[in-house]
Structure formats: structure tokens, C-alpha cells
Amino acid sequence: MKLILDTANLNDIKYFNEFFPIVGVTTNPTILSKEGGDIVAHLKEIRKIIGDDKELHIQVTETKCDEMVAEAEAIVACFGNKKNTFVKIPATDEGIKATGYLSAKGYKVTMTAILSASQAMIAANAGAAYVAPYVSRLENICDDGVAIVAEIQAIFDACGTETEILAASFKTVRQVLGVALTGAGASTVGSEVMHKLLAHPTTDTSIDGFAADWKRAFGDVTLGELIANAGK
Ligand code: E4P
């Protein structure tokens, strides 16, 4: 399952872009509101950090079809191209109409604020590249977020659609793993949960043990230094 970083924080994006195999960055108006300032320059900086090959997902702020389409075209022209810049459009009637129009013109749409499998089915039929079901928001209304992602994946498998799931709104590692087990194509994860996907206390104690045992046996020299000096 592809992993995308769900933040607009430049330090976090620099960090995970360097160390983690993320395939892109997702934003939404709430995420951007946390950064403030010149948000156009900020989004350009995100594109600069991740380069031209990674996905940048940016949400429209308009709510009517024609305005959403115009805004989507402006977003793609400003922050990348039709291949690497995904326009996030909420799952409304106007959004579905805009998605149909944009998809036919070769734009990649991430249909966002998906809270049901039926919404995902309609988004796929309209030509969305991704649908973004909100796992934690579903669980906060006593629904089963991972089960709904599984339903969507089953529908997509049955239809053979090219639309992929980009699961979103994660609060726990277990949710991310649950979604990965459904066969979903991608998940977008915030910085805190992204760190937790890799961190493990027993990994840390294991590494400390290896280092201590090595030092006890060979001192401060590294294996690389021993190899370089061998036979000298
Ligand atoms: C994707 O970018 C979604 O907008 C985002 O994951 C929603 O997450 P939240 O429910 O934590 O706000």
C-alpha cells in the first residue's frame, strides 16, 4: 500500500520525504489553515521539496461545478501538472459533476470526504483517480471505518475500476494496518502516526544491545573501518 503524508508542515515534509518512502503529500483547507501566511508560496515550496515525480493533492475551495473546474485547472497549472497534481473535490452533486468533466479532460481527481461505499462507487463511475474514505471520522460516529474501506475495495475489485482508494483520517497504526489488509492502494497518514508506523521500543533495545555487544568485543572501531584496514 502506497503511503502519502497528510500535512503541510514544511519541516515534516522535508523529514519524511528524505527518510520515508512516501509517494506524495495531501493537504486540505484545515491542514493549510494551520500554516497560514502566503499559502500559494507555501504550496509551491511543498512541490519544490517533493520534486516533480511525487503526488501533491490540493483541495478546491469552490463549491459549484464551474467554479470548482476553473479552480482545479488553476491549481494544476500553478503547482505541477496533470500527472503529479491531484485535485481534491468533495463528494457532493456539484463535485461529482466537476469530477466527470475534469477526468474526461485528463485531470486526476481525488474525491474526498467519502463516508460511504455508495459515495465511492459514484465517484469511481465519475472517473475519480482516488476516493478518500475518512476512517477516524467514521469511527467517531460509531461506524467501522476499516470495514467501509473493505466494502469499497470489494466493489472496486468486482467492477475492475481503475479508481484507487486513498484512505485518510487516521489516528492509530492499527487503523492503517487494517486498511492495508483490505488491499487499498494508498493511505494518507499524518506525521505522528507516520512516525509510529516504524517506531518500536524493542527495535530500539535490540539496536542498543547490538552496539553494546560489538563495543565490548571490538571497542570503538566500526566494521567498515576494520574492512578498510584489513590486509594493510
Ligand atoms: C485527507 O487529506 C483528509 O482530508 C484528512 O486525512 C482528514 O483527516 P482528519 O479527519 O484527521 O481531519
Side-chain angles (χ1 to χ4, degrees), residues 91 114-125 128 131 133 152 155-156 163:
I114 294 280
L115 279 302
S116 73
S118 58
Q119 290 175 324
M121 181 177 67
I122 292 169
N125 289 350
V131 294
I152 296 170
I155 291 166
F156 285 4
T163 306

Side-chain angles (χ1 to χ4, degrees), residues 27-30 32 57-62 71 75 86-90 112-113 134:
T27 63
N28 64 33
T30 302
L32 294 179
H57 297 243
I58 302 170
Q59 192 164 326
V60 295
T61 57
E62 298 281 3
E71 195 174 37
I75 286 170
F86 291 67
V87 183
K88 290 177 72 180
I89 296 184
T112 196
Y134 284 5

Side-chain angles (χ1 to χ4, degrees), residues 5-7 25-31 34 57 59 88 110 112-113 132-138 140 166-171 188-190:
L5 186 64
D6 199 21
T7 185
V25 166
T26 50
T27 63
N28 64 33
T30 302
I31 287 171
K34 291 176 188 158
H57 297 243
Q59 192 164 326
K88 290 177 72 180
T110 298
T112 196
Y134 284 5
V135 175
S136 288
R137 293 194 194 203
L138 280 162
N140 283 336
L166 169 52
S169 182
F170 289 103
K171 295 292 171 281
T188 185
V189 180

Side-chain angles (χ1 to χ4, degrees), residues 172-196:
T172 70
V173 168
R174 181 47 59 187
Q175 290 172 332
V176 180
L177 293 183
V179 163
L181 286 166
T182 70
S187 281
T188 185
V189 180
S191 306
E192 202 182 326
V193 175
M194 190 70 85
H195 274 299
K196 288 178 179 165

